[in-house]
Amino acid sequence: DAKTTQPPSMDCAEGRAANLPCNHSTISGNEYVYWYRQIHSQGPQYIIHGLKNNETNEMASLIITEDRKSSTLILPHATLRDTAVYYCTSQRSGSRLTFGEGTQLTVNP
Amino acid sequence: DVKVTQSSRYLVKRTGEKVFLECVQDMDHENMFWYRQDPGLGLRLIYFSYDVKMKEKGDIPEGYSVSREKKERFSLILESASTNQTSMYLCASRGTVNTRSTDTQYFGPGTRLTVL
């Protein structure tokens, strides 16, 4: 599975959009991009995933560049409860899930 | 909503004790996983199971065993706990990998185990 790179930390004001980037320049054609988040002392929570089209659900939007080498997770109106570590991972169907260090997002009042 | 529950949120045990961590999922998922998570080391797979009574070693199985007697329940056993097994233990489940969204893993709340 491709290695992903994320900034270690980001800040966002409450009510604003949080845009979390992820680089996955070695991603292969059959690998999906997955996003999870982990609020302190809890288990990881699935957010969204995509292959090449942009995706949206009730939690977030995922924008994948046309060359698929990077993606952005968008939380359109961040709240204090969105403060968490966000993990971007690329994964072939059926392969093992791995997390890097992720991005610590802090939403400030 | 998928629900994965773990028997304890916090556990303190002594070196040499046998420790049981239980995980239950309510989505009829075939696949279940046990991970441990440590600062700087990320998420590491200990064991997984793709069916009742079936198990496969993950990346760090030493010192652990598992049991899956029923589809909804996956247990992690530390035969003789040691201090280096102090960690956050996470259970996850996943459906059969044959549809678009079934690579998604659903995690329990985690068990923070301290071995003294």
Side-chain angles (χ1 to χ4, degrees):
Chain A
D1 296 334
K3 180 176 166 56
T4 60
T5 308
Q6 298 176 255
S9 64
M10 291 183 67
D11 284 283
C12 176
E14 190 178 17
R16 299 283 191 160
N19 298 287
L20 292 94
C22 179
N23 286 323
H24 31 79
S25 58
T26 60
I27 195 169
S28 59
N30 60 354
E31 284 182 318
Y32 286 80
V33 178
Y34 274 79
W35 284 83
Y36 289 79
R37 74 180 182 184
Q38 189 170 20
I39 295 168
H40 183 62
S41 293
Q42 296 184 24
Q45 177 190 24
Y46 164 78
I47 303 173
I48 199 167
H49 74 285
L51 185 62
K52 47 187 174 182
N53 297 323
N54 298 337
E55 302 287 345
T56 296
N57 64 19
E58 65 279 2
M59 288 183 71
S61 294
L62 174 60
I63 307 297
I64 303 174
T65 58
E66 196 168 336
D67 62 8
R68 300 206 333 119
K69 292 186 177 181
S70 66
S71 61
T72 301
L73 179 76
I74 302 171
L75 308 178
H77 305 287
T79 70
L80 299 179
R81 287 179 295 180
D82 292 321
T83 292
V85 179
Y86 286 77
Y87 297 101
C88 165
T89 180
S90 61
Q91 191 177 353
R92 283 177 293 109
S93 182
S95 69
R96 293 177 179 185
L97 178 65
T98 57
F99 286 164
E101 293 301 309
T103 296
Q104 170 66 58
L105 174 69
T106 302
V107 180
N108 300 304
Chain B
D1 269 0
V2 176
K3 191 146 188 186
V4 180
T5 56
Q6 295 183 227
S7 48
S8 306
R9 290 299 308 274
Y10 300 93
L11 210 51
V12 179
K13 295 290 181 182
R14 297 212 174 269
T15 301
E17 280 193 82
K18 191 168 187 175
V19 182
F20 292 88
L21 302 182
E22 300 241 299
C23 176
V24 178
Q25 51 95 2
D26 66 356
M27 277 301 290
D28 201 35
H29 283 169
E30 288 77 10
N31 302 281
M32 296 186 74
F33 305 81
W34 274 106
Y35 298 90
R36 62 178 284 178
Q37 187 177 35
D38 301 284
L41 296 175
L43 201 67
R44 293 183 290 169
L45 180 64
I46 304 172
Y47 266 97
F48 66 100
S49 168
Y50 52 87
D51 203 350
V52 176
K53 297 193 186 293
M54 307 300 286
K55 60 186 179 187
E56 293 279 346
K57 292 180 180 179
D59 299 318
I60 50 162
E62 296 78 20
Y64 304 94
S65 62
V66 290
S67 171
R68 189 145 180 225
E69 296 296 318
K70 293 185 178 181
K71 192 174 187 180
E72 68 270 18
R73 190 179 298 269
F74 191 34
S75 302
L76 180 70
I77 303 147
L78 286 66
E79 296 290 343
S80 177
S82 63
T83 54
N84 63 12
Q85 291 179 310
T86 291
S87 185
M88 169 73 107
Y89 289 88
L90 293 163
C91 174
S93 75
R94 185 188 76 193
T96 301
V97 182
N98 60 8
T99 65
R100 181 181 178 274
S101 63
T102 55
D103 267 313
T104 300
Q105 293 197 20
Y106 298 91
F107 286 83
T111 295
R112 189 163 293 281
L113 172 67
T114 302
V115 182
L116 302 175

